[in-house]
Amino acid sequence: MNIYSPYRTITREQFLFHEMRIVAKLILQGLNDKEIIDRIVKENLFQYPTERSLRNISRVCLVRFHETDSTALTDLVANGSSTAAKQACLFLMMNYYRIVWEFMIQVIGQKYILKDNSLTKMDLNSFFSSLQAQNETVASWSDTTIRKCKQVLKSVLIENGYLDHSRSEVLSPVLLDLSVKEAIENLGMKEALCAFNWL
């Protein structure tokens, strides 16, 4: 993750596990981006109602893979166990969205380091307040945008087993798949491991 990357909102872009699995398999078949998008649209592989949404989300998935450019992670998303594939997807999401990277390391990682298994509304509010104080882009986001970003972060945590449900304030101890750990280390990004409870 480039620390100078711009902050992008995550209001429309969810975790997309099912879609990332499909795209990963097509990448491993050797298809280029245009061929992948055309195939997804033609066969409606995501089961979406409109061609526009199929194209948009295909591009979102592709850009997450391209940003990290790791064959190992692509293979894990396509063929790994559900847990390993989800962890690989989470790392790809972190590495594309600076806001997810910072949240997972500065909030979740720090919780694990400090052996603090609480995750409250105050933690989320403090994270965003701090970002808004430091960054003009985030400061310009509306309350609705911030609220939606918080919802997306929470849903990502739920999908990956960090939280049991949306009202939970107890952080579960996740177990990092060793193949995912190795892929992250091979990218020279060990600092991300604390986000997966690897201390």
Side-chain angles (χ1 to χ4, degrees):
M1 162 57 65
N2 181 348
I3 58 164
Y4 301 109
S5 296
Y7 285 102
R8 301 178 178 94
T9 67
I10 49 171
T11 52
R12 289 197 199 91
E13 300 176 8
Q14 304 287 327
F15 188 54
L16 305 173
F17 177 58
H18 166 69
E19 295 85 347
M20 290 284 283
R21 273 262 213 212
I22 290 168
V23 170
K25 288 186 164 90
L26 295 174
I27 290 171
L28 294 178
Q29 287 175 25
L31 302 181
N32 65 33
D33 286 8
K34 183 182 183 304
E35 289 167 339
I36 288 169
I37 294 168
D38 288 347
R39 174 99 168 263
I40 288 166
V41 170
K42 186 180 176 189
E43 300 177 24
N44 192 7
L45 296 179
F46 296 166
Q47 298 293 296
Y48 284 3
T50 67
E51 180 178 323
R52 185 177 172 211
S53 60
L54 286 164
R55 288 188 183 280
N56 285 347
I57 297 302
S58 298
R59 287 190 196 98
V60 168
C61 293
L62 283 164
V63 85
R64 291 183 193 178
F65 284 111
H66 293 330
E67 182 73 19
T68 305
D69 192 23
S70 165
T71 305
L73 287 171
T74 304
D75 185 60
L76 279 163
V77 174
N79 304 310
S81 68
S82 178
T83 299
K86 284 185 177 182
Q87 288 175 347
C89 281
L90 174 54
F91 178 77
L92 292 169
M93 191 176 189
M94 286 169 62
N95 201 39
Y96 184 66
Y97 302 100
R98 185 176 170 189
I99 198 163
V100 182
W101 176 273
E102 292 181 0
F103 175 75
M104 290 304 299
I105 292 173
Q106 295 172 13
V107 179
I108 303 302
Q110 281 302 303
K111 291 279 184 183
Y112 286 132
I113 288 166
L114 298 172
K115 301 195 174 0
D116 175 1
N117 70 343
S118 69
L119 185 70
T120 65
K121 271 185 185 173
M122 194 180 296
D123 291 314
L124 276 160
N125 292 342
S126 298
F127 172 70
F128 278 96
S129 296
S130 172
L131 273 186
Q132 286 181 302
Q134 295 167 27
N135 185 274
E136 288 179 8
T137 302
V138 184
S140 72
W141 293 353
S142 68
D143 290 346
T144 306
T145 297
I146 296 285
R147 187 165 62 249
K148 182 66 175 163
C149 286
K150 289 176 186 174
Q151 287 170 356
V152 171
L153 289 172
K154 278 202 104 168
S155 71
V156 166
L157 292 175
I158 293 163
E159 274 210 67
N160 282 275
Y162 289 82
L163 296 174
D164 288 340
H165 51 80
S166 60
R167 289 200 179 88
S168 175
E169 294 192 339
V170 179
L171 200 56
S172 300
V174 297
L175 191 62
L176 179 60
D177 183 278
L178 293 179
S179 301
V180 179
K181 173 182 174 281
E182 185 181 346
I184 293 171
E185 286 177 336
N186 288 342
L187 290 165
M189 301 172 104
K190 281 186 179 178
E191 69 271 26
L193 296 178
C194 66
F196 297 90
N197 194 26
W198 190 277
L199 309 175

